[in-house]
Amino acid sequence: MKKTLGAMILAGVAGMVQAEMVVKTVDYEIDGEAYQGMLVYDDASTEQRPGILMVPNWMGVTENAAKKAWRAGGSDYVVFVADLYGKDTRPANTDEAGIAAGAVKGDRALMRKRVNAALDVFKSKAQEVPLDTSRIGAIGFCFGGTSVLELARSGTEVQGVVSFHGNLDTPNVEDARQIRSPVLVLHGAIDPYVPDEQVAAFQDEMRAADVDWQLISYGGAVHSFTDPTANARGQAEYHPQVAERAFGAMRQFFNETMNQ
């Protein structure tokens, strides 16, 4: 990915907003390998604000991910878009995305390591951006939703974890006993990739571990309901009304969990 990515993304989304949105690329390493995420925030004010660690969908760190980060955070949060693939892995299409996401999803220990590393990098940026490190939540979309649930199952404590249309399965349901953060799942009720059996198993997992959890199931919504580019009818499809409801639910959730 070119070093000018931040400027390119900022130019691409500048027309969408009136606030002073900033997109900054962040280079970091995990086990000697190069990664590159993005900080997305409004720099019109220097007042400290809560943070959101965001794991994007299977396409990874892209202009669309920056747009999604801005929609989620706006002027109220500093958002860090995590790179779970590595700087040299940038899928150009869904086939490549499936390979990249499958490699990480198939190794949950690796997924947890990379999402936790991204969280540490985010916290380390508090001297550069107006971030209150005592109030950080995590969100993820599709593949990213799975990733932030694994962040919670790893035992890492944040002020809340929100999965948007993510897969809910995990190799070892007993790991849920390590969860120390409130969990919110925003689910499409007719998502063909997250069937009722998986939803029921997740609910059983949360109950057995006595987790502070919520699951909202949106009627008429399938996979990727927050993604304006999703147009696979009946499978992965944008649903504007449900997307608005889901982002509203996320904000209400964080308003509660970050101000306790």
Side-chain angles (χ1 to χ4, degrees):
M1 182 172 292
K2 297 179 180 179
K3 292 183 179 180
T4 56
L5 175 62
M8 293 167 59
I9 292 172
L10 183 56
V13 299
M16 300 171 53
V17 296
Q18 294 180 345
E20 298 297 324
M21 190 184 85
V22 171
V23 180
K24 292 182 178 179
T25 55
V26 177
D27 290 293
Y28 60 103
E29 290 188 356
I30 304 174
D31 294 337
E33 298 294 327
Y35 291 75
Q36 187 177 74
M38 298 185 295
L39 285 164
V40 180
Y41 64 102
D42 177 1
D43 74 346
S45 170
T46 58
E47 183 177 353
Q48 279 196 329
R49 67 207 74 162
I52 295 176
L53 174 72
M54 175 185 141
V55 184
N57 66 17
W58 65 351
M59 296 304 296
V61 180
T62 63
E63 179 179 327
N64 283 333
K67 293 177 182 178
K68 187 70 69 69
W70 180 253
R71 183 172 185 179
S75 298
D76 298 323
Y77 300 89
V78 176
V79 183
F80 182 60
V81 181
D83 178 7
L84 260 62
Y85 296 157
K87 185 176 180 179
D88 293 332
T89 301
R90 292 294 184 260
N93 51 54
T94 56
D95 288 340
E96 292 182 7
I99 293 170
V104 179
K105 187 179 176 184
D107 186 342
R108 297 302 172 93
L110 178 65
M111 176 180 276
R112 293 180 185 186
K113 182 174 186 176
R114 290 181 179 179
V115 72
N116 272 285
L119 178 61
D120 290 340
V121 170
F122 187 23
K123 290 179 178 179
S124 75
K125 298 301 175 180
Q127 300 301 315
E128 302 175 26
V129 295
L131 172 66
D132 179 357
T133 58
S134 70
R135 294 186 294 162
I136 293 181
I139 68 174
F141 300 87
C142 300
F143 163 80
T146 305
S147 300
V148 297
L149 289 175
E150 290 300 326
L151 173 70
R153 292 180 179 114
S154 74
T156 299
E157 186 172 9
V158 291
Q159 273 56 63
V161 167
V162 183
S163 169
F164 291 81
H165 40 78
N167 284 96
L168 308 176
D169 61 315
T170 191
N172 183 10
V173 296
E174 292 299 317
D175 287 347
R177 299 186 183 280
Q178 301 178 152
I179 294 176
R180 303 164 62 198
S181 306
V183 172
L184 172 63
V185 168
L186 304 170
H187 168 67
I190 52 174
D191 185 338
Y193 303 114
V194 187
D196 291 344
E197 296 79 9
Q198 189 178 124
V199 175
F202 173 78
Q203 292 174 326
D204 289 343
E205 175 193 357
M206 295 295 104
R207 292 188 190 105
D210 196 25
V211 175
D212 177 359
W213 69 283
Q214 303 172 56
L215 186 148
I216 301 175
S217 184
Y218 294 106
V222 292
H223 205 60
S224 301
F225 57 76
T226 66
D227 185 354
T229 69
N231 58 8
R233 188 169 180 82
Q235 298 182 58
E237 189 174 3
Y238 182 50
H239 195 307
Q241 185 179 45
V242 169
E244 192 66 25
R245 290 173 179 171
F247 280 108
M250 178 209 77
R251 286 179 170 267
Q252 182 180 21
F253 175 73
F254 282 144
N255 283 341
E256 174 192 334
T257 64
M258 291 190 182
N259 294 288
Q260 290 179 344

